[in-house]
């Protein structure tokens, strides 16, 4: 599930600042600190214009109200200017006038994260456009479009949802078309949400939710949160701290051991990630939660998740930097951290697809900086395989990045890397700053598979301890106790402890000498 590099900064109250060109405060997956423009649907707008017919200017008095779902009209946005929108949904307002409606609109030029409820006063009714029969119009339009134009529109239509077929995409858009939660309160920030998140039905009537920033439990009212905070004894995520450098800490949370926390984190993240599916079974995932620490506790900045065992070599499933902490390099830090874990595992890794729009740009920026830094410093020839071994980046991602930068050339029947210093400097400058550095010396972590293997050894070690003691060695018990404390796996603890108790009993009864 998704956030990213150098996303726009948050205001003092934590809301997402949005500029006139449609840029918002978060990079999805979201990732680390990149400065991006939100993808626009300008090309699609040109084709959509052929599907509708503009009405002649009319006055408000004879306008057919309320506006129908699907109507296109111009709406005054936060910049004070009018922008084309499409009415996605409508609802009656709680007022004396029974015919008074408010409308949920999508700004055609901008990403869905900017969709919002607006009042009739914000709409320019003289710009209303009626919708003709789209099926008939599509047939006429398609005859006039080139194959390239059709492909371009199809790519725009499914951006961020490449894993969905057309029917599934329509179902997804219909189900998630309206944001159910407008704002959340998390710690000292109030944050505007971006997308729909499938909270339990009892929260359907809530416009704002209140999250405990430590355990991530959410409530409907401020008073409930205040009562909860007096009882909640957590001051950091419920996991193992595997990294501490200055005021930054990283916690590893096992979804199996902390199921409620993992599910709550998914609910929260989905409010800012449109392209990910929310999984309720979090047992198979590890969550790496990045925190800023002070005397009040460890405050969540962002996170990424990864599968415990991935057949596709994914080293990251979802990534998100919360809007108030964007543009600070945390997204890049999370990406770099995921690759440091891959290096510890002795594997190459790649993020799970599909990536969000901002996520893809963040990863491309990271891959560009890492690869070009190596090429700039390296003397002599270097292969894609060697680059992959050095960086833990999958060979396909390296090849795609170098091809995008036009650094791969075909000479004498083979592909070679062209590493002209001036070209490398130009690309590095375009890639921007690198963000926060991961101090590998501060990372204390054992890969999950290694833990699993050590856990299995517990089933054998008590017997090995017996053999050690028969040889006059007294360290067998110490080895077992150390491993039990080091691994801490529920699956093995009960069995291993039982075997260890049996071992103690046999020693005390002088059955072993």
């Amino acid at each position: 599930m998704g956030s990213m590099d150098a996303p726009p900064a948050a205001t003092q109250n934590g809301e997402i600042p949005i500029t006139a060109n449609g840029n918002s405060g978060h990079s999805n997956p979201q990732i680390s600190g990149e400065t991006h423009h939100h993808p626009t649907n300008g090309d699609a707008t040109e084709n959509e214009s052929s599907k509708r017919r503009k009405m002649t200017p009319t006055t408000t008095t004879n306008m057919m109200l309320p506006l129908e779902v699907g109507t296109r009209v111009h709406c005054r946005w936060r910049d004070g200017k009018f922008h084309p929108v499409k009415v996605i949904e409508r609802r009656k307002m709680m007022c004396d006038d029974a015919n008074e409606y408010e409308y949920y609109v999508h700004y055609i030029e901008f990403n869905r994260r900017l969709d919002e409820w607006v009042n009739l006063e914000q709409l320019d009714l003289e710009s209303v456009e009626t919708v003709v029969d789209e099926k008939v119009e599509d047939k006429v339009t398609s005859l006039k479009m080139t194959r390239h134009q059709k492909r371009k529109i199809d790519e725009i239509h499914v951006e961020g949802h490449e894993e969905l077929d057309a029917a599934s995409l329509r179902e997804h858009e219909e189900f998630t078309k309206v944001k159910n939660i407008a704002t959340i309160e998390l710690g000292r920030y109030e944050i505007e949400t971006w997308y729909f998140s499938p909270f339990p039905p009892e929260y359907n009537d809530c416009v704002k939710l209140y999250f405990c920033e430590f355990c991530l439990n959410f409530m409907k009212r401020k008073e409930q949160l205040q009562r909860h905070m007096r009882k909640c004894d957590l001051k950091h995520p419920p996991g193992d701290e595997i990294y501490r450098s200055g005021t930054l800490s990283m916690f590893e949370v096992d979804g199996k051991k902390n199921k409620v926390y993992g599910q709550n984190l998914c609910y929260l993240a989905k409010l800012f990630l449109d392209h990910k599916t929310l999984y309720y079974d979090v047992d198979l995932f590890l969550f790496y939660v990045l925190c800023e620490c002070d005397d009040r506790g460890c405050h969540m900045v962002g996170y990424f998740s990864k599968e415990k065992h991935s057949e596709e070599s994914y080293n990251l499933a979802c990534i998100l930097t919360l809007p108030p902490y964007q543009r600070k390099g945390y997204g890049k830090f999370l990406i770099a951290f995921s690759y440091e874990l891959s290096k510890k595992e002795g594997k190459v890794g790649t993020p799970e697809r599909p990536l969000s729009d901002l996520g893809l740009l963040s990863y491309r920026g990271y891959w560009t900086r890492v690869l070009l830094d190596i090429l700039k410093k390296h003397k002599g020839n270097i292969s894609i395989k060697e680059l992959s071994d050095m960086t833990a980046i999958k060979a396909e991602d390296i090849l795609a990045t170098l091809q995008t930068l036009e650094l791969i050339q075909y000479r004498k029947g083979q592909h070679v890397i062209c590493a002209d210093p001036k070209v490398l400097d130009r690309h590095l400058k375009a890639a921007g700053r690198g963000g926060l550095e991961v101090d590998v010396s501060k990372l204390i972590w054992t890969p999950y598979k290694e833990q699993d293997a050590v856990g299995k050894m517990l089933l054998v070690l008590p017997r090995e301890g017996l053999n050690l003691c028969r040889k006059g060695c007294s360290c067998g018990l110490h080895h077992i106790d150390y491993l039990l404390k080091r691994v801490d796996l529920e699956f093995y603890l009960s069995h291993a402890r039982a075997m260890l108790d049996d071992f103690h009993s046999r020693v005390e009864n002088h059955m072993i000498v």
Side-chain angles (χ1 to χ4, degrees), residues 69-70 86-91 102-106 112-118 170-183 193-199 203-204 206-207 270-271 274:
V69 171
K86 178 180 179 180
V87 176
I88 303 298
E89 190 59 88
R90 69 183 186 185
R91 66 187 181 190
E102 58 181 351
Y103 302 91
Y104 191 80
V105 299
H106 166 63
R112 284 208 317 156
R113 70 192 63 159
L114 301 182
D115 295 1
E116 62 180 349
W117 289 100
V118 299
R170 285 193 296 270
E171 182 180 357
H172 167 81
E173 290 180 343
E174 178 64 25
F175 184 69
T176 65
K177 65 181 180 180
V178 178
K179 265 183 262 186
N180 51 338
I181 305 297
T183 59
T193 62
W194 292 2
Y195 303 110
F196 172 90
S197 182
F199 284 91
Y203 295 90
N204 287 347
C206 295
V207 177
K270 186 63 183 69
L271 292 169
D274 182 37

Side-chain angles (χ1 to χ4, degrees), residues 245-310:
S245 179
T247 60
L248 280 186
S249 284
M250 183 75 80
F251 292 84
E252 181 185 65
V253 181
D254 190 329
K256 183 177 181 180
K257 296 180 181 178
N258 301 280
K259 184 172 295 188
V260 174
Y261 181 90
Q263 291 175 343
N264 290 344
L265 180 57
C266 290
Y267 280 127
L268 172 64
K270 186 63 183 69
L271 292 169
F272 305 100
L273 297 173
D274 182 37
H275 66 293
K276 290 293 185 181
T277 302
L278 191 151
Y279 291 100
Y280 296 95
D281 184 5
V282 296
D283 291 17
L284 304 179
F285 291 87
L286 296 169
F287 300 89
Y288 295 88
V289 184
L290 180 63
C291 297
E292 284 184 352
C293 301
D294 58 26
D295 55 357
R296 297 187 300 112
C298 299
H299 313 284
M300 178 180 165
V301 165
Y303 87 102
F304 71 89
S305 62
K306 62 181 291 186
E307 291 181 275
K308 294 176 180 177
H309 305 285
S310 174

Side-chain angles (χ1 to χ4, degrees), residues 13-14 17 62 114 129 170 183 198 202 259 274 279 283 287 324 368-369 373 441 446 455 479:
N13 66 353
N62 61 4
L114 301 182
E129 298 171 356
R170 285 193 296 270
T183 59
E202 56 266 32
K259 184 172 295 188
D274 182 37
Y279 291 100
D283 291 17
F287 300 89
T368 297
R369 284 186 297 273
D373 279 339
S441 65
T446 303
H479 285 314

Side-chain angles (χ1 to χ4, degrees), residues 322-361:
L322 291 171
Y325 298 98
Q326 293 171 0
R327 284 187 177 271
K328 297 182 179 181
Y330 288 131
K332 295 187 183 76
F333 181 89
L334 290 170
I335 293 177
F337 200 93
S338 70
Y339 280 104
E340 292 300 335
L341 297 186
S342 293
K343 292 176 185 178
K344 288 272 189 179
E345 293 174 311
K347 301 177 181 178
V348 296
T350 188
E352 182 179 317
R353 267 58 169 190
L355 289 169
S356 66
D357 50 353
L358 301 181
L360 178 59
L361 290 173

Side-chain angles (χ1 to χ4, degrees), residues 10 45 56 188 198 218 265 306 313 317 340 391 429 450:
T45 304
T56 57
R188 55 196 179 94
F218 45 88
L265 180 57
K306 62 181 291 186
S313 300
E340 292 300 335
T391 62
K429 184 177 180 180
E450 289 185 17

